[in-house]
Amino acid sequence: MKKSKLTVITAVFIAGAMAFGLSGCGGSGNSSNTGTQAAGSGSAGADAGQSAQAEGGAKEDSGAASGEKVLTAAVSTAWDTMMPLNTTSNYTRMICDQIYDRLTQCKADGSIEGRLAKSWETNEDSTAVTFKLHENAVWSDGEPVTADDVVFSYQMYSDPKVEAKSRYHLEYIAGVDDSGAELSEDSIEVTADDEHTVTFQLKSAMFADTFLQDIDTVFIIPKHIFEGKTAEEINAPDLWAKPVGSGPFIYDSEINGERMEFVKNPNYYLGVPKIDRLVIRVTDSASMLAGLINGDLDLIGYDSIIIDDWDMAKEQENLVTVSVPTTSYSTLIFNTDKPYLGQEVRQALSMAINRQVLVDALFQGEGEAIITPFCSLSPYYNEAVEVWYDPDQAKSMLEAAGFPFDQTLVFYISSGSSVTERIAALIVQDLQKVGVKVQIEQVDFPTLMSNMLDGKHDMGIIGSGGTMDPSESREMIHPDSSVNFCQLKDTELTDIIDKGNAELSFEARKPYFDEYQVMIRERSPMAYLYTKNVLTAYNKRVSGVAVENFNSLNWSSWNWDIEQ
């Protein structure tokens, strides 16, 4: 794009976390899926969204007093920005998903359904995907949503002068580099074919649903709000403070770091939300069950009831409780750039960790020990790649590799999570048993990410929402990725992923991803630890929720309802 301004020429993700998020899912190959058509919207008029924001109020109990249907959803971590392209946090993406739309969204079973795109199809050689947009979609200020908005959004995401941590989700589109940045001004090959049709050219033939999974968290931004603005203006918070979106809800108010409130979008093309006001409240995990019992909370939007409270939760007559197996995983990142953390040392450190104890002690078995980003839910899971634990062999390997046992490893973890603290303590105990000294540094999540990207860590814990798509972890190990926390400098691992992605059937793809799992354990750029079930609950007054999809960043909140 232009160096000073963002302009549009009509020319053509993942999901994110994770604590930090890499979302999305896989599904079928050549797709032509249709989303639910809105029951009746039409154009909102220019003042519809603004008046809703003005009249929405922000008093916690005003909805009940005025007869509004108010639903309060809990999340354990606050959003980090209101700029949807400049985050890797799934908590932020859940916020943005109420305001903005994306072309498609994933379900827990790996299938993909339409959002702004009512259908799509892949060309014969699987090098391009064409989307048909809902014709009656409108922005909250009444302007129509068009293919030009989609083109503009992808040009904005790919502009290297715009701050966009989520840019890597564009990696498979022609005209950008492996980080998702445009190769030249407006070079990203996203083309508006007509007012409601847009085509994406891919870099090469590939399994189409891998591409769909990767753009799962790319939000569509209104061109008429941002066109002509400089990158500096776009990077500043002012333009994002009162967002104009096309999503199911309209931003109303917030207490930063504590709560955000929305009012329903009366013109949402997939159906007007059944609730009038949505409140998203930041709630410590240890307090979630109490909030559900006393009625302050109606559902857990993105997190778990702590395991210590699970039995009590299941005893509550007013709650529906669900244990949802997921692909969400936690992993211990190693800084591969440190000379004393060579491959043999990383293998030994990984081998010293008793993953099954983590699952049993912390989650009462509500999870699965893993050694790669694949768990047994995945059809690509390689059973031959076994989880290892052998502290005696680990110590021998460290000695043979000449590991400096007087070195104290710096271990970063995110603050605010008692589970993460307990995990880190158990890992430290395991490493101490093989003679390794560790110092835990507990910081807020943005600082953790910044410090790890700067290579200040020896180790650090990061979480991912995972996905059914076997290439999900590519973004964490490619040298050019903005989330390459392990500081890998070569593409050996991502090359095998790319070979798998170039195949167009499961049978042809699986051998490559089997080999990738062997390689990822051998290289050990990180020690994958476990997946854990989401232990979630919601009030029986709530209906229309599909909690199994929440971990896939799919609330479909316009379907939610609550009895008064």
Side-chain angles (χ1 to χ4, degrees):
M1 308 190 76
K2 291 187 182 297
K3 293 183 178 179
S4 58
K5 293 188 176 182
L6 293 172
T7 59
V8 171
I9 57 173
T10 304
V12 98
F13 94 37
I14 222 172
M18 230 160 236
F20 122 98
L22 306 166
S23 60
C25 344
S28 57
N30 294 343
S31 302
S32 183
N33 297 355
T34 303
T36 305
Q37 191 71 24
S41 327
S43 179
D47 296 324
Q50 297 168 352
S51 63
Q53 293 183 30
E55 297 171 4
K59 301 293 190 295
E60 183 172 350
D61 297 320
S62 63
S66 63
E68 281 187 321
K69 286 187 176 182
V70 181
L71 190 150
T72 301
V75 296
S76 67
T77 300
W79 50 99
D80 59 4
T81 180
M82 288 295 286
M83 187 177 177
L85 61 164
N86 195 32
T87 186
T88 57
S89 166
N90 284 345
Y91 298 95
T92 300
R93 287 166 174 164
M94 281 297 194
I95 292 285
C96 294
D97 199 41
Q98 310 317 305
I99 302 169
Y100 301 99
D101 263 312
R102 43 211 168 115
L103 290 171
T104 59
Q105 64 184 16
C106 296
K107 300 177 70 174
D109 62 3
S111 62
I112 299 172
E113 59 187 4
R115 277 282 293 268
L116 185 57
K118 66 179 182 180
S119 64
W120 59 91
E121 61 182 8
T122 306
N123 67 351
E124 187 173 352
D125 62 357
S126 201
T127 58
V129 181
T130 297
F131 297 90
K132 292 288 186 180
L133 309 182
H134 282 277
E135 293 87 352
N136 58 341
V138 295
W139 298 105
S140 56
D141 63 2
E143 292 293 318
V145 180
T146 71
D148 285 342
D149 292 306
V150 177
V151 172
F152 179 83
S153 299
Y154 278 82
Q155 290 176 335
M156 184 193 292
Y157 269 76
S158 65
D159 184 350
K161 288 189 171 294
V162 172
E163 295 176 357
K165 294 177 183 175
S166 293
R167 180 175 295 126
Y168 59 87
H169 288 300
L170 280 57
E171 61 186 333
Y172 296 120
I173 304 172
V176 302
D177 62 21
D178 283 335
S179 73
E182 61 188 10
L183 298 173
S184 59
E185 181 184 324
D186 292 339
S187 60
I188 187 168
E189 296 190 33
V190 184
T191 306
D193 303 331
D194 59 39
E195 190 174 8
H196 295 105
T197 307
V198 60
T199 294
F200 289 67
Q201 298 293 331
L202 306 178
K203 291 178 179 177
S204 59
M206 66 179 295
F207 195 66
D209 280 8
T210 294
F211 160 69
L212 294 175
Q213 172 266 321
D214 223 36
I215 63 168
D216 181 66
T217 55
V218 177
F219 294 97
I220 307 306
I221 309 300
K223 173 185 175 182
H224 67 282
I225 299 294
F226 292 93
E227 185 177 25
K229 300 294 191 296
T230 65
E232 289 74 18
E233 290 173 309
I234 289 172
N235 293 337
D238 295 354
L239 288 175
W240 306 95
K242 293 185 178 179
V244 173
S246 62
F249 286 89
I250 299 170
Y251 171 86
D252 184 60
S253 65
E254 68 177 296
I255 301 174
N256 191 38
E258 295 183 21
R259 62 190 291 122
M260 190 175 291
E261 297 200 15
F262 309 83
V263 294
K264 69 181 180 182
N265 180 353
N267 300 291
Y268 191 53
Y269 58 91
L270 291 179
V272 178
K274 298 176 176 63
I275 58 174
D276 301 299
R277 181 175 294 273
L278 173 63
V279 180
I280 298 180
R281 179 186 293 178
V282 180
T283 306
D284 183 86
S285 297
S287 303
M288 285 185 177
L289 179 57
L292 288 165
I293 291 174
N294 66 30
D296 287 342
L297 304 175
D298 298 307
L299 62 79
I300 298 177
Y302 192 72
D303 220 305
S304 282
I305 292 175
I306 61 174
I307 192 65
D308 294 342
D309 290 344
W310 186 232
D311 287 340
M312 181 181 292
K314 291 186 287 185
E315 294 172 357
Q316 304 307 307
E317 293 185 359
N318 70 319
L319 299 182
V320 177
T321 55
V322 187
S323 177
V324 184
T326 74
T327 56
S328 177
Y329 58 80
S330 288
T331 182
L332 180 67
I333 304 282
F334 297 127
N335 186 344
T336 63
D337 207 31
K338 294 293 180 73
Y340 47 83
L341 293 177
Q343 179 171 305
E344 293 78 9
V345 169
R346 299 194 303 267
Q347 286 178 352
L349 297 176
S350 175
M351 192 177 294
I353 298 169
N354 192 334
R355 292 161 171 82
Q356 194 58 49
V357 165
L358 299 181
V359 172
D360 293 340
L362 299 179
F363 310 119
Q364 296 180 19
E366 298 278 358
E368 179 181 344
I370 58 173
I371 192 69
T372 76
F374 297 73
C375 67
S376 60
L377 286 177
S378 171
Y380 291 90
Y381 180 64
N382 186 351
E383 295 181 356
V385 182
E386 297 180 351
V387 175
W388 53 25
Y389 172 61
D390 190 334
D392 291 335
Q393 183 178 351
K395 187 169 185 178
S396 297
M397 291 172 65
L398 290 171
E399 293 170 347
F403 178 76
F405 287 96
D406 57 345
Q407 176 81 37
T408 298
L409 301 184
V410 178
F411 183 7
Y412 275 94
I413 66 171
S414 179
S415 57
S417 171
S418 60
V419 172
T420 300
E421 293 173 5
R422 293 163 70 184
I423 292 165
L426 289 173
I427 290 174
V428 169
Q429 288 180 19
D430 282 341
L431 296 183
Q432 287 175 339
K433 291 175 183 177
V434 296
V436 176
K437 301 176 183 178
V438 181
Q439 175 183 329
I440 294 177
E441 295 286 344
Q442 192 167 6
V443 296
D444 62 73
F445 190 65
T447 301
L448 177 143
M449 292 183 64
S450 175
N451 286 355
M452 289 177 63
L453 288 173
D454 290 341
K456 296 179 180 180
H457 64 301
D458 291 309
M459 307 185 302
I461 289 181
I462 289 288
S464 171
T467 171
M468 287 291 189
D469 188 276
S471 61
E472 173 269 342
S473 58
R474 184 185 191 277
E475 55 209 16
M476 293 184 71
I477 55 176
H478 194 282
D480 294 334
S481 173
S482 62
V483 289
N484 177 22
F485 300 108
C486 53
Q487 307 289 322
L488 276 175
K489 300 297 192 293
D490 66 80
T491 62
E492 180 185 24
L493 292 169
T494 55
D495 286 346
I496 194 68
I497 290 177
D498 292 343
K499 290 177 181 178
N501 282 340
E503 300 294 340
L504 305 183
S505 69
F506 170 80
E507 292 75 16
R509 285 158 59 82
K510 191 172 189 309
Y512 291 102
F513 290 106
D514 283 346
E515 182 180 352
Y516 170 61
Q517 291 168 75
V518 173
M519 292 172 62
I520 200 77
R521 187 177 71 163
E522 180 182 357
R523 288 288 303 272
S524 290
M526 57 192 84
Y528 290 92
L529 301 172
Y530 57 81
T531 64
K532 65 174 181 177
N533 295 4
V534 171
L535 307 179
T536 192
Y538 57 92
N539 195 293
K540 288 183 178 178
R541 297 186 302 125
V542 176
S543 60
V545 298
V547 294
E548 67 274 10
N549 292 331
F550 285 11
N551 200 61
S552 301
L553 300 181
N554 178 352
W555 275 5
S556 295
S557 54
W558 60 93
N559 293 321
W560 295 356
D561 202 356
I562 187 168
E563 295 178 6
Q564 294 281 53

